[in-house]
Every structure is written in C-alpha cells, then in structure tokens.
Amino acid sequence: MIDLVVEGRLFLDGELKQGCVGIENGRIVAVKKVLRGETKIDAGYRIVLPAAMDPHVHFRQPGMTNKEDFSSGSLAALHGGVTTVLDMPNTFPPTDRLAVLKDKKRIVRGRSYVDYGMFVTTDLPRRLEAMAPHVAGLKIFMGSTTGSLLDNDDKSIHRMLRKAEALHVPVSVHAEDDSMIFHEEAGSLKDHLRNRPADAEFNAVRRLIALGAKGVNICHVTRAEILDMATEAGMSSEVAPHHMLLDIGSPLGARGKVNPPLRQPLAKDALYRAVAQGKATMLGSDHAPHTVDEKSEDFDICPSGVPGVETMFPLMMAAVKRNDIPLATLVRMACEEPARRFNVPKGRIEEGMMADLAIYDPREMSTIEGSRLYSKCGWTPYEGMEAIFPQTVIMHGEIQLKGGEPCGETIGRDIKDEPL
Ligand code: DOR
Ligand code: ZN
Ligand code: ZN
C-alpha cells in the first residue's frame, strides 16, 4: 500500500479537481480519483497546490546573520508555502568563487527547512566554469545595490552571457543601468525614485536585448512595458509583490526603500494588471531582510530592501480569492515556471515529481502581522494586508507545517549537490 495519500481539491492541469495524491519516498507515485494509503491526509474542501518556489531570496548567510540566516529564512519560506528558494550571492564574502561557494554550502548544510540553490556572481568566465556544476544560476548586477557587486559593462556582460549559455547556467539580472542612477541625497521614497528612475531600468533591458540576451531572466520588473519587452526578446521576467502592491505614496518611509524603487501609483497598478493578465513569467520575492533598527535609520543611510518570502504566496492567494488573479496564473508563476526554468522536479502535481504540496483553506483570510512572521528581521511592509497562509505544507513527502505552524526538521537539500 502507498505510504501517504493526500485527498482534496487538487490543482491539476490548470484547474481544481477532487482527487488523491499518492506519495512514496518523497515522490508523487500516483494521482487518481481514489487511492488507499498507510496514512491519509483528508483536506476535504481545501485546495491542494504544488508548493511554491521563490527564485530570488537574500538569506544573508554568511556574513549578515543578524538580519537573517538559513534557518530563520527557510522557516519563513515554509510558513509562506515555499519549499524551494534560490539564494543570491551578495552575502559576505560575496559568492564569487569556488572556495567561497564551497564554504557557503558547508555553512548552510543541515540548517535549512526547505530546499535551496545558490546563485553566484563573477565577471570572470573561468570562475563561472569552475562553479557551474554547483550553482542554480549566475546573477549579474547592472546597478549597484546592497553589497558592492557591479558588472555594467556591455563587453563583460556579453562575455559572461556567452559563457553561461555554453555551461547551461541560468542567468538572472538586476537590470538598472548604473550610469543612469543618481546619488543625490534622498529623504523620501519620492527622492529615491528620482535617484533611480524607470529609465535606468528600461535602458538596462534595452542593452540586454541588444546583446542578444535570450533566455536571461529580468529580476524584479517594476514596469508593465518591460514584461512585454522581455517576452518579445525571448527573455523571462520576474515580478516582486512589493512593486505590485506598494508605491511611493505609501507611508512606509525608509522601510519602503528598495532597489529598484517603488514607483508611481499608476505604474504599480498597471504592473498588477499586467501580472493578472499573465504577462509575467515568474514571481520572486526579492526577500531582502534588514533589521527594524537598520530600517529606522535616516532615509539616506538606511539600507535598501524589504522582506517578502513569507508573504508572497499568501498575498497572492488573497488576490486570487478577490478574483484579481486567476489561480492558474498564480500557480504557473510561483510554482511551475520557477521549477521548470531552474530544473527542479517540482511545481506540478504529477507522477514522478517531488511530493511538495501546500494545502490552503480559501475561507481562511487573515491579515498580515509582522510579529507573527518567522523572518529574523521582525517586520513586514505588508502589515494589515489580507493574506491566505497555508495550513499544511508537505516537503519530500514529510509534513513540515501543520495548523499553520512549522513542525518539521531541517531536511532541506541543495538542488545541485544533493540531487532531489
Ligand atoms: O533593495 C534591494 N535589496 N535590492 C537589491 O537588489 C538587493 C537587496 C539586498 O540584498 O538588500
Ligand atoms: Zn536586485
Ligand atoms: Zn535581490
């Protein structure tokens, strides 16, 4: 008999259908109307989705573990229905060479509640070649932001894109043209937007298109027009909830300081609509935790970034409930596409896939409270907003979250070094 069976309204082929998922050795072994198992989870009328994957987090380990570390960050992920994260390389030291990558992996190993992959950054093709077998992707920073990593030179970017393509390493780009960023004193979200205009983003994307950057992923797109530009050029796009839900009119002050910046209300609304119409490839939180103390500094010296891995899917589930976004669009952006693009056998409820599932009760709308979140940073820019958090999360066939609370062990694995 099958080890574990989950019964409920399953998300299959773009719609919800009553049925059973059979799980053995961490994998989905059957999807049928009726299945019998040693153990059964009856989700009843609740909906059973593939767990989400966040292709863009900053878990800050090593080097800045006062802000976050892999244990706290991965608990936050789990609480938000995310069982795979890709961590960015602007840790300290930056993940820019094999020795540092190996150290980072050694430090993180055994501490994560969810599966993870590591992005690296380098402008040296030979370094990328050495790291390639162990990485989820290459990150290119065309604009300066937290950490001082920068590669904004067409020749160098072109060289790295070619190398990454030859090595089959996915590339994600922070697309803000650094030469178009001003460094004037800023005291408000409006000033910060003036310093980092949308033109800087448009121009970075135009340059990538001119470089023939097919297949590249544009991170945290803030403008609806760029979603179309990316698609037309054969690139993928990633959108973060903060650019869809928050704008420069928000009372967040320095807490809302982030790169690329929050934009005008109209631009935000247009982005939200475009995402709802299915124009974005993926959701990515750009979870960038900084402590409450750091975010309470004067605007000008306060670090950029907002947390989000924990609230991304729950906020979007609330949007689905309000009929703002079709469920199928959300699952495609947050589950199917990230898994497909980064080669993780997840994202769909299908035989052979990893048994990573999240169960939601669509009637359980709650409001976000920073004090109830697991991220070490201790605050959220979404305080008081509507969200639907998962009740149960299963990863590798193990129950990792129950009754909305994490209950598992640090069984997360590296998607490259310990194949799932
Ligand atoms: O606001 C940001 N914060 N943008 C980035 O690109 C990096 C991030 C961070 O690491 O804090
Ligand atoms: Zn970025
Ligand atoms: Zn980022």
Side-chain angles (χ1 to χ4, degrees), residues 84-136:
T84 315
V85 295
L86 302 185
D87 192 52
M88 288 299 161
N90 58 340
T91 34
F92 192 77
T95 325
D96 65 354
R97 65 193 76 188
L98 187 60
V100 174
L101 177 65
K102 281 189 171 163
D103 274 349
K104 180 169 177 175
K105 287 187 179 224
R106 197 175 29 75
I107 292 164
V108 165
R109 193 156 192 215
R111 293 179 194 251
S112 183
Y113 290 88
V114 302
D115 293 331
Y116 54 90
M118 301 299 188
F119 266 92
V120 294
T121 189
T122 177
D123 54 8
L124 302 174
R126 251 187 293 152
R127 282 201 186 167
L128 181 61
E129 194 164 329
M131 295 188 282
H134 314 287
V135 307

Side-chain angles (χ1 to χ4, degrees), residues 58 60 90 145-146 174 258-259 288 290 304-305:
H58 299 264
R60 308 298 192 201
N90 58 340
T145 181
T146 306
H174 180 118
V258 61
N259 301 328
H290 298 286
S304 291

Side-chain angles (χ1 to χ4, degrees), residues 280-315:
T281 316
M282 292 185 277
L283 280 182
S285 71
D286 196 7
H287 178 74
H290 298 286
T291 64
V292 172
D293 284 352
E294 290 163 337
K295 291 298 268 185
S296 310
E297 301 263 19
D298 279 352
F299 196 99
D300 217 30
I301 53 170
C302 162
S304 291
V306 295
V309 68
E310 194 161 5
T311 45
M312 176 173 74
F313 205 87
L315 281 165

